[in-house]
Amino acid sequence: MRQRVMVDRAVVDGLFPSDLPEPAYWEEQYPARVLPEGAKVTRFGPSPTGFVHIGGIYTAMIDRDVATDSQGVYLVRVEDTDQAREVEGALEQFDRAFAYFRISSDEDRRQGSYGPYVQSQREQIYLTFVRHLLRQGKAYLCFATKDELAEITARQQAAKVPTGYYGKYALWRNADPADVQAKLDEGAPYVVRFRAPDDADGQRTSFVDAIRGRLEHEANRNDAVILKSSDQSPRLPTYHFAHAVDDHLMRVNLVIRGDEWISSVPLHQQLFAALEFEPITYAHVAPLMKQIPGGKRKLSKRKDPEAGVDFYIGAGYPADAVLYYLRGLANGRLAEMPLADALATPIDLSQCGVAGPLVDLVKLEDISADYIATLSGQQVFDAVRVWATEYDADLVPVLDNEKELALRAIAVERDGVENPRKDLRKWSDFRAAYGFFFTELFVPVDGPTDERLVPLGVAPEITTAFAQDLVAGYEHRDDPQEWFDQIRSLAGKHGFAPNAKEYKKDPDAYAGSIREASQLVRVAITGATRSPDLHATAQALGAPEVLRRLEALIGK
């Protein structure tokens, strides 16, 4: 191993602003938190490089639970060091997602004394600690070009050795200070790389994961970039370095994150040690999965609409139903509890599994339907209206103009029954389930030949005659049986069999059965062959509207 050659401190200091504070200054600015013993300080670090993944809500939910249950602090820190990939509007999407699912933070970019809570606003802090490592020879300047790095990778692949910037492949690791100065004099751009410990090659390292227990991995040998190219502004670090500095200064003591970061722990351990920071505890959660033919895979931003939080908000899945489902995925015991109890019971890290739980939309919709069935008609109305304001603007004036009708419609087969109707799984189902109640949304049948009547197989002239008599003598009776008896009586008069059994015995002798006669009325009133209880629907609509719709059966 060649002896380490360090660049002169004066050269190092000349690369940074002259008024850059020392590490001690930042330690004073971010003092140790005064919290109860055992309190956890957790953080969620969304990156504004795309839409919010439902897995982010899942992890943030766990972060908040663990912090709150331990009387600690849960903070949100925007990790935007990868500014080239930043997506416009991403921060607003974060806010929308957290607000919808009520995952409030104790500290974020609007509140808290350990900020800024946006990494791109913490440039000075990072530069202080990069300079600190350079002064100690724990980091170095690297002028390797893209072509040189590509050539190194090609050589490593040909030699069938791990790719990376390490050992003999690390061109500037032990460069002569004179060569470094020459590059600086010519204005060549450079990055700053962390100098992995000399004894890291071939070594093993271990750590205790708060979910998975003791894990062992190969020690990091790669001289990772910790500060991006000198020709960029602002001068930002990579995630690996930024998270180490920020978690230390913000006094985070438990990082809950996806298991894709397990392989980075050896590097993070080295960074914490080099910076002389207290080691941090990690808890790596299993990713949310999707069932596919022959197995399962991670829920993908690119492939699966349900991976995005806006899918759930846009469709109008009630937040409580989604949270209840996600909590059950995190801790199976919560899935066995009533919803209110499960929402109030903290998630326990020790009960989080190491296998990725499956996201099953069918199961979620069942949970959502059960939940909505427990709500009052007013609660359903209010929730649908709030959702429609954003996602179905044309529905809003309909609801506002016909609020009492809407409440009557929602009450059909819900109020005062043991097993309430569960035709709403999400707020976007409202049009399909209840739209026919409203004249603005309902399309009456177009006479006896309307295509919705064709499957019933009733001759148009019989439909017309039946409808004429029904309209002429219609009585809006309160008693369901009495109301239906008038349909049954007219059905017999117009040649419909009293039941399906009689009709099947001699179909040519009848116009259809009582079922077909009833369906003529159902389609006329609701526009479909399947609907809530027909008498209750008629009562909700009122006699004038029922008659108007029945008259449409007659045709011109």
Side-chain angles (χ1 to χ4, degrees), residues 37-215:
E37 185 176 354
K40 303 300 181 186
V41 180
T42 65
R43 51 83 166 167
F44 181 66
S47 173
T49 55
F51 65 71
V52 183
H53 195 289
I54 190 64
I57 295 299
Y58 179 73
T59 303
M61 175 187 72
I62 299 172
D63 271 313
R64 187 191 63 178
D65 264 36
V66 171
T68 302
D69 186 51
S70 64
Q71 301 180 60
V73 175
Y74 162 57
L75 63 91
V76 172
R77 182 177 69 224
V78 178
E79 299 184 342
D80 62 342
T81 58
D82 191 358
Q83 297 201 311
R85 295 175 55 221
E86 188 165 328
V87 175
E88 186 177 355
L91 290 181
E92 290 73 20
Q93 190 191 45
F94 296 157
D95 293 340
R96 183 167 65 250
F98 294 143
Y100 188 83
F101 290 106
R102 303 189 308 280
I103 303 178
S104 57
S105 48
D106 301 308
E107 299 173 7
D108 52 43
R109 66 185 195 278
R110 296 183 181 85
Q111 58 186 346
S113 55
Y114 283 76
Y117 294 87
V118 178
Q119 288 187 328
S120 61
Q121 298 172 11
R122 298 172 65 84
E123 180 183 13
Q124 267 207 325
I125 301 173
Y126 304 131
L127 293 180
T128 288
F129 287 95
V130 170
R131 183 182 65 183
H132 181 62
L133 292 187
L134 283 169
R135 286 172 174 174
Q136 296 180 314
K138 295 177 181 178
Y140 62 92
L141 308 185
C142 175
F143 298 88
T145 65
K146 290 182 178 179
D147 288 342
E148 288 174 326
L149 294 174
E151 191 272 335
I152 288 171
T153 300
R155 284 168 49 204
Q156 291 169 334
Q157 290 173 337
K160 296 183 179 179
V161 298
T163 57
Y165 196 85
Y166 63 90
K168 66 180 182 180
Y169 301 106
L171 304 180
W172 290 89
R173 180 180 171 93
N174 293 303
D176 189 309
D179 294 335
V180 172
Q181 188 61 58
K183 282 290 186 180
L184 290 173
D185 291 342
E186 68 181 60
Y190 63 88
V191 299
V192 177
R193 288 184 180 272
F194 172 63
R195 186 187 298 273
D198 292 334
D199 60 355
D201 193 16
Q203 297 299 309
R204 305 286 292 178
T205 186
S206 66
F207 70 99
V208 177
D209 186 285
I211 293 174
R212 298 161 186 269
R214 181 165 296 279
L215 298 176

Side-chain angles (χ1 to χ4, degrees), residues 398-425:
V398 175
L399 294 173
D400 288 347
N401 294 335
E402 297 283 2
K403 180 176 179 179
E404 292 306 314
L405 173 58
L407 291 173
R408 292 198 304 272
I410 294 168
V412 171
E413 292 191 277
R414 281 175 48 93
D415 288 2
V417 298
E418 188 173 337
N419 295 307
R421 187 174 177 84
K422 297 178 181 178
D423 47 3
L424 283 184
R425 288 171 166 76

Side-chain angles (χ1 to χ4, degrees), residues 15 25 260 323 326 342 443 451 502 543:
L15 302 175
Y25 170 81
E260 69 271 18
L323 289 173
L326 292 178
V443 179
E451 63 180 10
E502 289 297 318

Side-chain angles (χ1 to χ4, degrees), residues 315-383:
Y317 286 94
D320 280 350
V322 179
L323 289 173
Y324 174 67
Y325 180 60
L326 292 178
R327 296 174 81 79
L329 295 182
N331 282 177
R333 66 190 173 93
L334 299 181
E336 306 302 320
M337 294 182 180
L339 184 143
D341 292 344
L343 294 182
T345 303
I347 291 170
D348 186 341
L349 279 182
S350 69
Q351 294 184 16
C352 289
V354 298
L358 286 170
V359 173
D360 182 348
L361 286 182
V362 174
K363 177 66 174 175
L364 172 59
E365 292 213 341
D366 287 344
I367 288 172
S368 187
D370 289 342
Y371 169 70
I372 292 174
T374 68
L375 302 179
S376 69
Q378 185 67 55
Q379 287 174 311
V380 172
F381 177 89
D382 291 342

Side-chain angles (χ1 to χ4, degrees), residues 180-380:
V180 172
Q181 188 61 58
K183 282 290 186 180
L184 290 173
D185 291 342
E186 68 181 60
Y190 63 88
V191 299
V192 177
R193 288 184 180 272
F194 172 63
R195 186 187 298 273
D198 292 334
D199 60 355
D201 193 16
Q203 297 299 309
R204 305 286 292 178
T205 186
S206 66
F207 70 99
V208 177
D209 186 285
I211 293 174
R212 298 161 186 269
R214 181 165 296 279
L215 298 176
E216 184 176 297
H217 288 270
E218 184 178 359
N220 170 66
R221 65 159 73 105
N222 192 50
D223 288 358
V225 174
I226 58 173
L227 188 65
K228 297 178 183 181
S229 183
S230 57
D231 58 2
Q232 295 182 7
S233 181
R235 193 79 191 280
L236 296 176
T238 57
Y239 166 79
H240 298 295
F241 189 76
H243 108 277
V245 172
D246 289 342
D247 285 346
H248 170 70
L249 292 179
M250 292 179 171
R251 310 303 171 177
V252 173
N253 56 20
L254 174 64
V255 171
I256 302 169
R257 60 187 184 183
D259 66 359
E260 69 271 18
W261 290 104
I262 291 177
S263 61
S264 298
V265 172
L267 168 60
H268 297 166
Q269 287 179 314
Q270 292 173 353
L271 287 171
F272 271 80
L275 290 163
E276 299 176 0
F277 294 162
E278 192 72 24
I280 203 163
T281 300
Y282 293 104
H284 292 93
V285 298
L288 300 180
M289 308 292 283
K290 180 183 177 104
Q291 189 76 50
I292 58 173
K296 61 181 182 178
R297 60 165 169 76
K298 288 183 180 181
L299 202 59
S300 167
K301 284 185 177 183
R302 292 184 297 105
K303 299 177 181 178
D304 308 313
E306 68 269 29
V309 170
D310 275 351
F311 169 84
Y312 301 89
I313 300 175
Y317 286 94
D320 280 350
V322 179
L323 289 173
Y324 174 67
Y325 180 60
L326 292 178
R327 296 174 81 79
L329 295 182
N331 282 177
R333 66 190 173 93
L334 299 181
E336 306 302 320
M337 294 182 180
L339 184 143
D341 292 344
L343 294 182
T345 303
I347 291 170
D348 186 341
L349 279 182
S350 69
Q351 294 184 16
C352 289
V354 298
L358 286 170
V359 173
D360 182 348
L361 286 182
V362 174
K363 177 66 174 175
L364 172 59
E365 292 213 341
D366 287 344
I367 288 172
S368 187
D370 289 342
Y371 169 70
I372 292 174
T374 68
L375 302 179
S376 69
Q378 185 67 55
Q379 287 174 311
V380 172

Side-chain angles (χ1 to χ4, degrees), residues 412-413 421 423 433 436-437 442-445 450 452-453 456 458 463 466-467 470 474 480 483-484 487 514-538 541 545-546 549-550 552-553:
V412 171
E413 292 191 277
R421 187 174 177 84
D423 47 3
F436 70 86
F437 279 94
F442 179 70
V443 179
V445 296
D450 187 286
R452 289 169 286 181
L453 300 172
L456 303 181
V458 179
T463 298
F466 172 77
L470 182 57
Y474 178 76
W483 181 84
F484 187 73
I487 298 172
I514 184 61
R515 178 185 181 279
E516 282 69 41
S518 300
Q519 289 294 70
L520 287 175
V521 177
R522 187 181 300 277
V523 173
I525 291 177
T526 71
T529 56
R530 299 185 65 182
S531 73
D533 178 79
L534 196 53
H535 174 261
T537 298
L541 288 169
E545 180 62 17
V546 170
R549 296 185 182 192
L550 290 174
L553 268 178

Side-chain angles (χ1 to χ4, degrees), residues 438-450:
F438 307 94
T439 56
E440 299 95 326
L441 306 178
F442 179 70
V443 179
V445 296
D446 186 16
T449 59
D450 187 286

